[in-house]
Amino acid sequence: MVGVGLQTEESLHRLVAELALSLVAGGLLVLSGWYFDIPTLKSVLPQLGTMKPNTAVGLLLIGITLFLKRPTGELQRSVGLKRLALFLAVVICALGLLTLSQMLFGWDFGIDQFLFRDSASATITSFPGRMSPITAANFFLLGIALLLLDVETRGGRRPSNLLAVAVMANSMFALLGYLYGVDTLYRIAAYSSIALHTAVLFVVACVGIVFSRPRSRLVNRIAGDNIASSINRRLLPAALLLPPLFGWLRWQGELADFYSTAFGLALFTATNSVIFVVLAWWSSRSLQRIHDHRIAVLQSNDWTQAMLDSADATVISTDVNGLIRTINARTAQTLGYEPAELIGKVTPAVIHDAKEVAARAEALTQELGWHVEPGFEVFVVKARMGVTDQNDWTYVRKDGTRFPVRLSVTPLVDADGRLNGFLGVGNDITLLKEAEGKLRAQAQTDTLTGLPNRSQLNDKLARAIAHSERGGEPMALIFIDMDNFKAMNDDFGHAGGDLALKEVARRLSSVLRSTDTVARLAGDEFVVLVESIKQAGDAALVARKLMAAMDAPFAIGSQPVALSCSYGIALRRPGETDADALLHRADSALYRVKASGRGGLEVDE
């Protein structure tokens, strides 16, 4: 069932506050009448009953308790005021229970005239100042209702509403008794009548208790934004007020001898029939408009669903707790699930990588400053703040295969601005990720030789230095430069030079360990990163293997060509963490080899 709207809920909160204050005002006025001995404040008219002091106190306490238990404002956040409201509700129960005990068992606790002497009723009854049994029972029931105001059964029913309706029925009988002059409806004996203003204030208290929790099922049946509530709002006031009113008018006409009893009865029946036929016809027209609107909405939803099904993206909507409500056809096709396997049964977390979710939860916890659970909340924590959240995730199909998506999560709100769910739109970015990977590879790879370039070497060198510093293992850089490369380019052209560079790269890679890295810096310059060596001399052994790989002639052009390289080695020193400094030392060692005649190697320790 659709609940009450936000504006309606706020209006009901204001209504409850006004009803609570009217109870307080009514109780204070009657107590003032007793204190100053003003009969018109104690009773509207003498024949309509006098409100006893304890009754005025009880109604005053109900008003205060109802005001304190409103579910809005600072009052609800004060522990002290909550405890005060609980204490007052217990006092109201005790007032009714003690009065009933006096009547049932003949006891006298001295509470009837505790505040004021009731000398007027002392001549009528032997229990002056005592409220009627029905009044005491009403106080007991309303006290229990206030104690149970926030209790709800599994079926969604609230005991407080049932108790309030029972008290309202008692009070309505008394009001009908006063309306028709039938004192047996409000008087059991001379000492047990319920005053007119007491019955009215009891009805006010009952209405306040019922509407103090606008999200209850009973209030939704009356004030909710749905067809049933709309009909109830039209028919219930008419059903409750019009028959008593027409009955009273009929009775007054008979008393005035305007018509006979038979004619009055016929007039009463006809009037009620006409009124309710008009109401039924009015309601049926409204229902037809609502039905037509519903059909239009369903058609619009069908069109919307058709558009979503044709979208090249996964679309999933959930409720506020994450339970999946709808998916489009693309979602079912892409993930391999039947709609019945997802809708109303699981949250979108079932199609996500659990490790990614946990990592994201940790990152959000640090970013937001509060703990974010690794579950559905990870996807919507920012959407709950009213913003669209976009992140890259990995979707897991039913068969376990995976693909990357860019997921946008948007909050869904109703007409009153209340959050009622989330919409997740995921676009498959497999091709985009592949393109990004290729671009990253191109950005870090030498296009001629396929070796890592300077950018990738810098990254690997930084990690290698950090690893060597932590573990204390030696590492080295070997700077390699081809001898007389310019002359070879002049003899064979750039095409021959490119062939020579590719062959050098191939030979260097073929003799290195999997833990070593060879990179081309620029032109004919190569660098070999040697990691995880046991001692410094191992770097020279690696360099000699590289030199041996260059001994065989190069097939360039129509005849074999002999090429040589020079090698400069720099061993990382303990505490040396500057990659540029290490590379510079290897380059300096190479320069010294070049200066001494080429084709050799030198180690800078």
Side-chain angles (χ1 to χ4, degrees):
M1 179 187 297
V2 180
V4 298
L6 184 60
Q7 293 181 347
T8 303
E9 188 172 336
E10 293 175 350
S11 299
L12 291 177
H13 289 324
R14 290 192 294 271
L15 173 64
V16 171
E18 293 168 359
L19 294 176
L21 293 176
S22 66
L23 289 170
V24 172
L28 289 175
L29 283 175
V30 172
L31 289 175
S32 300
W34 280 97
Y35 183 80
F36 296 107
D37 195 21
I38 303 175
T40 54
L41 292 181
K42 293 186 285 184
S43 175
V44 179
L45 292 173
Q47 64 269 27
L48 299 182
T50 300
M51 185 186 297
K52 304 302 182 184
N54 284 353
T55 302
V57 170
L59 292 169
L60 172 66
L61 295 181
I62 290 175
I64 296 174
T65 307
L66 195 57
F67 189 85
L68 294 178
K69 292 182 80 69
R70 292 179 305 147
T72 58
E74 294 294 331
L75 296 175
Q76 277 300 104
R77 290 191 281 271
S78 171
V79 176
L81 293 177
K82 286 182 179 179
R83 291 177 178 174
L84 175 60
L86 178 64
F87 171 74
L88 294 179
V90 172
V91 171
I92 295 166
C93 287
L95 179 62
L97 187 60
L98 289 176
T99 303
L100 287 174
S101 299
Q102 290 182 134
M103 296 174 182
L104 292 174
F105 303 107
W107 298 336
D108 186 3
F109 297 117
I111 61 173
D112 297 329
Q113 301 192 86
F114 179 75
L115 294 175
F116 303 101
R117 300 287 300 177
D118 187 9
S119 56
S121 63
T123 59
I124 303 174
T125 175
S126 57
F127 306 108
R130 180 172 298 180
M131 67 179 72
S132 68
I134 192 66
T135 302
N138 285 349
F139 276 126
F140 178 71
L141 294 177
L142 291 180
I144 298 295
L146 290 169
L147 290 173
L148 302 179
L149 202 56
D150 294 305
V151 175
E152 188 173 80
T153 66
R154 290 184 178 180
R157 293 179 174 82
R158 290 179 179 265
S160 59
N161 287 345
L162 298 177
L163 294 172
V165 169
V167 173
M168 184 180 295
N170 290 339
S171 304
M172 291 298 292
F173 274 114
L175 292 176
L176 287 174
Y178 281 109
L179 181 64
Y180 290 107
V182 183
D183 60 358
T184 54
L185 291 178
Y186 60 86
R187 184 194 305 272
I188 298 175
Y191 63 88
S192 62
S193 64
I194 177 173
L196 174 63
H197 48 329
T198 301
V200 171
L201 291 178
F202 271 136
V203 171
V204 170
C206 293
V207 173
I209 288 174
V210 169
F211 287 111
S212 66
R213 295 299 180 265
R215 298 186 183 182
S216 67
R217 287 182 59 176
L218 179 58
V219 178
N220 286 339
R221 291 289 187 185
I222 300 172
D225 187 14
N226 54 74
I227 296 176
S229 301
S230 177
I231 298 302
N232 284 335
R233 285 194 293 272
R234 293 174 181 177
L235 297 183
L236 285 178
L240 290 173
L241 300 177
L242 293 183
L245 175 61
F246 293 153
W248 182 80
L249 291 174
R250 167 208 163 187
W251 177 49
Q252 294 299 314
E254 291 180 9
L255 291 179
D257 288 331
F258 290 155
Y259 42 74
S260 65
T261 301
F263 181 83
L265 181 60
L267 183 63
F268 173 76
T269 304
T271 304
N272 279 288
S273 298
V274 169
I275 292 295
F276 281 98
V277 165
V278 170
L279 288 174
W281 182 261
W282 179 33
S283 299
S284 68
R285 290 188 60 188
S286 299
L287 284 175
Q288 184 61 49
R289 286 196 297 269
I290 293 172
H291 175 73
D292 294 341
H293 177 69
R294 180 173 175 270
I295 295 299
V297 170
L298 289 175
Q299 290 177 343
S300 176
N301 289 341
D302 289 341
W303 295 335
T304 302
Q305 188 63 43
M307 288 188 290
L308 291 176
D309 287 341
S310 64
D312 189 22
T314 61
V315 182
I316 301 174
S317 71
T318 73
D319 62 17
V320 292
N321 297 316
L323 200 64
I324 294 176
R325 294 193 298 199
T326 62
I327 64 173
N328 69 338
R330 181 70 173 178
T331 301
Q333 295 167 1
T334 304
L335 296 173
Y337 286 96
E338 292 294 330
E341 295 179 275
L342 299 176
I343 297 175
K345 295 181 179 178
V346 295
T347 74
V350 74
I351 60 174
H352 281 265
D353 183 290
K355 292 182 179 179
E356 278 188 356
V357 174
R360 178 66 176 159
E362 184 176 348
L364 285 170
T365 297
Q366 295 178 356
E367 176 186 347
L368 301 176
W370 68 78
H371 180 65
V372 179
E373 289 291 337
F376 176 72
E377 195 63 22
V378 166
F379 312 114
V380 301
V381 62
K382 289 191 174 181
R384 290 189 189 277
M385 302 176 188
V387 298
T388 298
D389 191 21
Q390 185 178 84
N391 289 286
D392 290 351
W393 296 93
T394 300
Y395 270 4
V396 182
R397 297 184 178 93
K398 186 178 179 180
D399 61 8
T401 58
R402 300 159 176 256
F403 65 98
V405 296
R406 183 153 293 162
L407 178 65
S408 297
V409 180
T410 304
L412 299 176
V413 297
D414 59 20
D416 294 317
R418 289 190 302 186
L419 180 69
N420 64 8
F422 302 95
L423 182 70
V425 179
N427 292 287
D428 188 339
I429 55 173
T430 301
L431 296 179
L432 178 61
K433 288 291 185 182
E434 291 176 353
E436 289 177 351
K438 289 178 180 179
L439 288 174
R440 283 195 300 270
Q442 291 174 1
Q444 294 190 322
T445 303
D446 177 53
T447 56
L448 178 63
T449 64
L451 296 177
N453 61 11
R454 181 184 291 272
S455 174
Q456 188 176 166
L457 175 67
N458 289 338
D459 292 341
K460 290 191 173 186
L461 183 55
R463 290 195 296 269
I465 290 175
H467 178 73
S468 176
E469 183 70 17
R470 288 194 304 269
E473 294 181 345
M475 62 162 286
L477 276 184
I478 305 176
F479 210 121
I480 305 169
D481 186 83
M482 296 174 62
D483 297 329
N484 299 316
F485 181 69
K486 184 178 183 302
M488 188 196 67
N489 254 347
D490 292 340
D491 293 339
F492 298 98
H494 288 296
D498 289 347
L499 288 175
L501 289 172
K502 290 180 180 179
E503 181 62 15
V504 169
R506 187 193 68 78
R507 294 188 184 189
L508 292 176
S509 301
S510 66
V511 298
L512 289 175
R513 303 170 302 168
S514 60
T515 56
D516 300 330
T517 300
V518 57
R520 182 189 177 205
L521 291 190
D524 60 338
E525 295 179 341
F526 296 84
V527 172
V528 175
L529 171 59
V530 183
E531 297 185 71
S532 303
I533 55 179
K534 296 181 179 179
Q535 54 189 2
D538 292 344
L541 294 177
V542 173
R544 294 193 185 279
K545 287 183 181 181
L546 298 175
M547 294 175 70
M550 300 298 163
D551 288 344
F554 285 66
I556 301 175
S558 59
Q559 57 184 356
V561 178
L563 292 176
S564 67
C565 296
S566 299
Y567 303 83
I569 304 174
L571 297 171
R572 193 189 77 86
R573 299 163 181 166
E576 185 178 18
T577 58
D578 189 339
D580 290 336
L582 184 62
L583 191 63
H584 178 71
R585 289 201 294 114
D587 188 26
S588 297
L590 172 68
Y591 178 78
R592 290 193 293 273
V593 173
K594 289 277 191 181
S596 63
R598 298 183 175 86
L601 68 84
E602 181 173 325
V603 179
D604 185 343
E605 300 184 4

